[in-house]
Amino acid sequence: MSAIALNSIDTKDREITGSRIFNAPRELVFQMWTDPKHIVNWFGPNGFRNTIFEMDVRPGGKWRHIMHGPDGVDYKNESIYLEILPPERLVYQHLSAPGHISTVTFEDLGNKTRVSMHMLFETAEVRDTTVKLFNALEGLQQTLQRLADRLAQLPK
């Protein structure tokens, strides 16, 4: 298949996206996503806690953690980093089900940062199941809100 044909494939039915502007400089927001001592405190929807076993933020490095749900269910997560471009972009492949590739971009807006998250699933069915089973659209918004709340708690 040619590059033109590949670029013309519509993937909207396989995507989950979200964006938010944070009142913090890009370098700090990037650090919040890449430092286990920070991400452990905010990642995931409301009520979730995290145990991080490994977070090797480099191409080929792994991120292994458990998200402890408020209902007592543990969700094992394993990802591999595909691309790291500090402080602009992270790309990682979520190897645990539901598998997807996440791309997180950090846009410098001076003293603020726009974070955009894009998750691409293998099929529309996997995406739709993720939305229904895990309430993923709301979960992404809650995760971004938790990051905003955590940033607001940091010393100025």
Side-chain angles (χ1 to χ4, degrees), residues 11-16 98-99 121-134:
T11 60
K12 294 287 185 213
D13 64 342
R14 299 189 295 135
E15 299 174 2
I16 294 174
F121 295 83
E122 189 172 326
T123 67
E125 181 180 68
V126 171
R127 183 255 186 219
D128 292 347
T129 300
T130 302
V131 168
K132 290 175 190 163
L133 189 61
F134 299 110

